[in-house]
Amino acid sequence: MKIFNTLTQQLEKLTPLDGRCVRMYTCGPTVYDYAHIGNFRAYVFEDLLRRTIRYFGFEVRQVMNLTDVDDKTIRGARQAGVALADYTRPFKDAFFEDLRTLNIERAEHYPAATDHIPEMIALIEKLVSTGRAYRSEDGSVYFRIAAFPDYGRLAHLDREGLKAGARVAQDEYEKEQAADFALWKAWGPDDGDVGWDSPWGRGRPGWHIECSAMSMKYLGETFDVHTGGVDNIFPHHEDERAQSEAATGRPFARYWMHCAHLVVEGRKMSKSLGNFYTLRDVLRQGWQGREVRYLLLSGHYRQALNFTWEALSAARGALARLDELSDRLRERAGGAAVGDLPAWSRPHRDAFDEALGNDLNVSEALAAMFNLARDAHREMDAGRMRPEEAGALMELLGLWDRALGVLARPEVAPDSEALALLERREAARRARNWAEADALRGLLAEKGWLIQDTPQGPKLKRPSGAGGA
Ligand code: AMP
Ligand code: ZN
């Protein structure tokens, strides 16, 4: 498979360093609030990448950090009047719940910054001892960008414009402010009771150092892929790369991949602009996680994706068409043994693989899937599809869905209204009022629920599941 490397600005073949397992680091959420669906565009892109790497036969070892100490988390905890860990815990829990809702596979490691302070201090000590970092008057420690000649290569900065010797203390800043940046921040009154002892006095880590320390701890000094949204390129990833390579003298990540933003009316969806929706906001309006996932997934990751309600509605329509195909194939297969794929479907299979392997061209992969749907309906309409072929096509859809993760229909728990209707139907049956019982069954069906009799009594089910394996 080929991917676009931000560092080289080229399409490159992805080959893991050890030939087998792709080691990948994905910058995770700052847990000071609920993540918004713009953030989830990045996490869904990374999930597609992870799944695609496995689709093409490699293993994956993925690390996603949780930033649970920084300016924003400290400010939130102080405003709420609670300890930092108590403030961030519910947002961590909510994040994992949202990942499940969006059918995002779990990474192998989710290290939290506050659990890795000694590793960060050790890394900073290494940089200080070789003169690549220095302590300032107030007890903060800065990385000396002049000591790393490659500084600016990832973000393609103009080296002439760098302000070597000048300093920037905050975690986020503009390219024009590129200067020596903080690795360790001396304690100040705004930090309240948050702080750790270090060789430079009490303080806390800057944001960038956490990702260097945690990626190298779990993936080694040199690993394969490092990802994030484009806003991470500068300063976050530039600084991560500088401090890691300056400390080890070895290449840090080999491939850097960045997704473009989810935008609303032309502007990046972000907390600071106030133009954001959390996943919860969207679910509350009656949308499903699966529909949100489809929308976030459906555009190529290097192109900005516009968020609109119409686009979400189109995602719902697309999924309904895929569900219809799965249902019809299942019915046609009828439990027969799985045979060979029909000849007409093979070009679609190849087109799908070709698209996905070409820098995750998901729009073309989806087009291959819809072309297959069109042709499958045509064959079934004409009575030309054998049950074994329908089974083979279902298997192909299941395989594709390992990469896409959109076909499987999640089990939805019945709401209280549906349960009440079921209860009334049981009462009607006990009273031998069959007409009433049938009417209630009809009402439930209208709401999308089927009644299934089980040894434990009647249960509510959604109509047959999808082809996703
Ligand atoms: P943050 O919590 O701000 O560090 O962001 C977490 C991740 O979401 C990072 O990888 C960001 O690049 C990404 N991100 C933030 N806003 C957007 C957006 N509107 N579209 C896509 N990715 C975003
Ligand atoms: Zn990071």
Side-chain angles (χ1 to χ4, degrees):
M1 75 184 269
K2 280 179 297 178
I3 51 111
F4 184 83
N5 189 347
T6 308
L7 187 64
T8 59
Q9 298 283 301
Q10 308 260 332
L11 275 182
E12 293 176 16
K13 189 169 168 210
L14 179 66
T15 37
L17 199 57
D18 72 2
R20 183 177 57 84
C21 176
V22 175
R23 284 169 290 160
M24 128 169 168
Y25 189 85
T26 46
C27 288
T30 306
V31 283
Y32 74 111
D33 201 344
Y34 298 107
H36 59 68
I37 56 172
N39 300 129
F40 283 112
R41 178 179 198 202
Y43 306 135
V44 166
F45 145 65
E46 287 151 358
D47 184 55
L48 175 68
L49 175 62
R50 171 192 169 89
R51 287 165 172 267
T52 301
I53 291 169
R54 295 175 57 186
Y55 181 83
F56 286 114
F58 296 116
E59 291 168 32
V60 174
R61 180 141 157 226
Q62 182 190 356
V63 177
M64 179 178 279
N65 66 304
L66 303 170
T67 301
D68 58 355
V69 54
D70 79 323
D71 300 346
K72 291 184 273 197
T73 41
I74 294 174
R75 197 182 316 125
R78 293 208 69 192
Q79 277 166 5
V82 296
L84 184 62
D86 293 330
Y87 179 73
T88 56
R89 193 172 305 111
F91 297 121
K92 287 185 189 172
D93 294 346
F95 178 68
F96 287 111
E97 194 182 310
D98 289 352
L99 293 184
R100 279 194 297 277
T101 304
L102 291 175
N103 198 19
I104 292 176
E105 285 184 356
R106 282 186 71 91
E108 279 62 35
H109 304 276
Y110 289 102
T114 51
D115 293 332
H116 294 78
I117 305 290
E119 285 87 344
M120 298 182 216
I121 291 178
L123 188 58
I124 299 170
E125 277 191 295
K126 208 164 166 182
L127 290 166
V128 172
S129 68
T130 56
R132 291 177 170 96
Y134 57 92
R135 183 181 189 276
S136 68
E137 318 72 51
D138 73 340
S140 296
V141 180
Y142 286 86
F143 182 84
R144 195 189 301 281
I145 57 173
F148 186 68
D150 214 25
Y151 191 80
R153 184 141 84 91
L154 180 66
H156 304 276
L157 297 187
D158 172 13
R159 277 195 66 81
E160 301 295 304
L162 298 182
K163 297 193 186 67
R167 287 177 210 148
V168 49
Q170 67 270 34
D171 288 330
E172 293 175 78
Y173 52 94
E174 301 299 321
K175 283 185 178 177
E176 293 68 38
Q177 295 166 273
D180 292 357
F181 58 88
L183 301 172
W184 186 261
K185 301 184 182 195
W187 184 88
D190 283 349
D191 292 339
D193 60 359
V194 178
W196 289 266
D197 291 326
S198 81
W200 317 284
R202 194 168 167 74
R204 62 179 169 99
W207 172 35
H208 319 301
I209 196 72
E210 73 173 86
C211 288
S212 289
M214 297 195 282
S215 59
M216 293 198 282
K217 170 167 179 177
Y218 293 94
L219 300 174
E221 291 180 348
T222 301
F223 57 90
D224 298 301
V225 181
H226 198 315
T227 69
V230 282
D231 56 310
N232 282 158
I233 299 174
F234 190 86
H236 187 48
H237 289 168
E238 189 68 57
D239 292 354
E240 264 188 58
R241 182 171 177 270
Q243 63 207 4
S244 306
E245 298 199 354
T248 67
R250 303 213 181 128
F252 182 50
R254 303 167 60 230
Y255 308 91
W256 292 85
M257 295 175 71
H258 295 97
C259 74
H261 284 141
L262 183 69
V263 299
V264 186
E265 288 162 6
R267 301 172 85 190
K268 174 190 174 190
M269 181 178 284
S270 72
K271 291 262 162 63
S272 52
L273 290 174
N275 59 351
F276 67 93
Y277 297 100
T278 65
L279 181 59
R280 283 127 205 276
D281 295 334
V282 178
L283 299 183
R284 232 176 277 126
Q285 303 207 25
W287 300 94
Q288 289 180 17
R290 188 182 171 221
E291 294 159 348
V292 179
R293 177 181 174 92
Y294 187 95
L295 171 63
L296 295 178
L297 189 82
S298 58
H300 189 267
Y301 75 92
R302 285 197 286 124
Q303 275 161 15
L305 181 70
N306 201 21
F307 176 77
T308 61
W309 299 105
E310 292 77 46
L312 205 44
S313 191
R316 177 173 284 181
L319 285 171
R321 276 154 62 206
L322 294 171
D323 289 351
E324 192 193 337
L325 173 69
S326 299
D327 290 343
R328 197 170 173 201
L329 285 173
R330 173 172 291 108
E331 202 177 300
R332 181 72 194 121
V338 172
D340 289 335
L341 279 174
W344 59 261
S345 69
R346 290 184 200 150
H348 300 317
R349 181 189 57 187
D350 297 344
F352 183 93
D353 288 0
E354 167 82 29
L356 215 53
N358 183 17
D359 195 29
L360 309 180
N361 193 337
V362 76
S363 2
E364 272 185 29
L366 289 171
M369 188 141 97
F370 282 105
N371 289 338
L372 177 122
R374 179 201 58 213
D375 292 354
H377 284 303
R378 181 196 63 213
E379 294 298 302
M380 286 189 278
D381 290 345
R384 280 196 295 259
M385 194 182 299
R386 287 182 289 114
E388 314 83 76
E389 291 177 330
L393 289 168
M394 277 173 57
E395 220 171 64
L396 180 64
L397 288 178
L399 179 70
W400 284 354
D401 206 42
R402 285 201 216 151
L404 301 177
V406 292
L407 291 182
R409 277 169 260 186
E411 281 290 322
V412 185
D415 50 59
S416 55
E417 190 195 2
L419 289 172
L421 287 172
L422 180 67
E423 183 46 49
R424 276 173 56 198
R425 174 184 177 261
E426 285 319 291
R429 269 159 48 111
R430 280 195 297 275
R432 310 182 74 75
N433 186 348
W434 308 122
E436 166 91 357
D438 281 350
L440 287 161
R441 174 187 279 275
L443 252 178
L444 279 164
E446 267 171 40
K447 295 182 185 301
W449 293 106
L450 286 183
I451 302 172
Q452 253 190 1
D453 288 306
T454 74
Q456 290 80 40
K459 290 256 153 67
L460 291 176
K461 295 280 282 179
R462 289 293 188 199
S464 67

